[in-house]
Structure formats: C-alpha cells, structure tokens
C-alpha cells in the first residue's frame, strides 16, 4: 500500500533514499495492522515506534544539514515541522498501547500518511528546486 513513487522524489538522491525508508516503515505498520494471526501486537508496535523515533532523528538531521549547506531559505519552517513530528512520536504513552493496540497502529499510520503525503510532497520537494 505504501510505495515511494516518482511524484515524491525531491531530486536529491540521499533524501529520496531516506524517504523510501519512511515509506517502508509505513508499509510495515500497515502490514502489522492487517495481520490477523498476531493477536498481541504490543512488542511489534513498540518496535515500530522506536524505529520511527530513531530514523526520523537521523533523517531530519541529515536533511537539515543539507538545507543549511545550500542556504535553503525555508529551513526554519522545515525544522519547526521536523521538531513537531519528533515530539509527537516521542510523546507516545507506551503504557496505553495495550488498551487498544489497533487504535495505536491506526494513529501511527495516520501520522505517517499525513507526513508522507503532506510534508514530503509539499515541503521537501521544494528543497531540490
């Protein structure tokens, strides 16, 4: 369901490669949601959230360093959005995941979907122009 397509490319190879990983995390999350054979998904949800936390910090740092190196004028706006995304991921209450695992998976997917279709498509594509 989540596939990195041509329309998401920024024209900056390393950013595009890193965005592909975000799409892969979204696909893993979607697959977990649809997995009817795993009843207790808590550990897998926690692992996905931790992967997302780690990868977004890595990706945003690399992207911001690149924007700084080229004197990108919208860097501050990008950094604010990056920081807000990281805060949202870091604010996950792990003790509440067990109350409704499916709801948490859907909320992760919603966040990723908004980010992948919103931020990357609308904002990151401007970096390469």
């Amino acid at each position: 369901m989540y596939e990195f397509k041509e329309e998401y490319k920024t024209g900056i190879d390393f950013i595009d490669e890193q965005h592909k990983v975000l799409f892969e995390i979204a696909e893993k999350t979607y697959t977990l949601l649809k997995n009817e054979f795993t009843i207790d998904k808590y550990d897998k949800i926690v692992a996905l959230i931790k992967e997302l936390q780690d990868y977004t910090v890595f990706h945003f740092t690399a992207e911001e360093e690149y924007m700084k190196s080229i004197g990108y004028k919208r860097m501050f706006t990008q950094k604010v959005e990056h920081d807000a995304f990281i805060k949202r991921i870091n604010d996950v209450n792990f003790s509440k995941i067990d109350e409704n695992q499916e709801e948490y998976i859907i909320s992760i997917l919603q966040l990723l979907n908004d980010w992948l279709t919103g931020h990357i498509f609308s904002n990151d594509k401007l970096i390469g122009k």
Side-chain angles (χ1 to χ4, degrees):
M1 180 167 170
Y2 288 90
E3 179 184 347
F4 186 79
K5 297 179 181 172
E6 191 69 30
E7 66 249 28
Y8 291 103
K9 287 188 176 181
T10 63
I12 304 160
D13 291 341
F14 84 93
I15 290 177
D16 291 338
E17 290 302 314
Q18 291 176 8
H19 286 168
K20 284 180 188 176
V21 174
L22 292 172
F23 276 83
E24 290 167 8
I25 294 170
E27 182 62 28
K28 284 194 271 187
T29 305
Y30 179 76
T31 300
L32 180 60
L33 176 66
K34 295 300 182 186
N35 182 336
E36 297 174 8
F37 300 107
T38 304
I39 295 167
D40 185 1
K41 300 176 180 179
Y42 178 85
D43 291 339
K44 292 181 185 224
I45 296 168
V46 170
L48 281 167
I49 292 169
K50 290 187 184 267
E51 181 180 9
L52 193 54
Q53 287 171 330
D54 293 342
Y55 197 77
T56 53
V57 168
F58 163 76
H59 168 62
F60 293 159
T61 299
E63 196 172 87
E64 290 167 12
E65 286 175 4
Y66 176 75
M67 288 186 286
K68 186 177 179 182
S69 76
I70 63 167
Y72 185 61
K73 291 179 173 43
R74 298 189 73 233
M75 183 177 158
F76 178 75
T77 302
Q78 288 273 61
K79 176 132 181 62
V80 167
E81 290 183 14
H82 291 169
D83 291 348
F85 186 92
I86 289 170
K87 181 177 180 352
R88 193 157 166 208
I89 292 293
N90 287 340
D91 284 349
V92 169
N93 185 340
F94 288 98
S95 64
K96 291 197 173 205
I97 291 173
D98 246 352
E99 292 174 16
N100 191 336
Q101 294 180 4
E102 189 166 307
E103 180 181 304
Y104 256 88
I105 297 171
I106 291 169
S107 72
I108 296 166
L109 275 174
Q110 183 69 48
L111 176 63
L112 284 167
N113 192 56
D114 292 349
W115 190 262
L116 297 174
T117 60
H119 182 84
I120 291 175
F121 191 73
S122 300
N123 297 335
D124 287 351
K125 284 187 70 148
L126 299 174
I127 298 170
K129 299 200 183 262

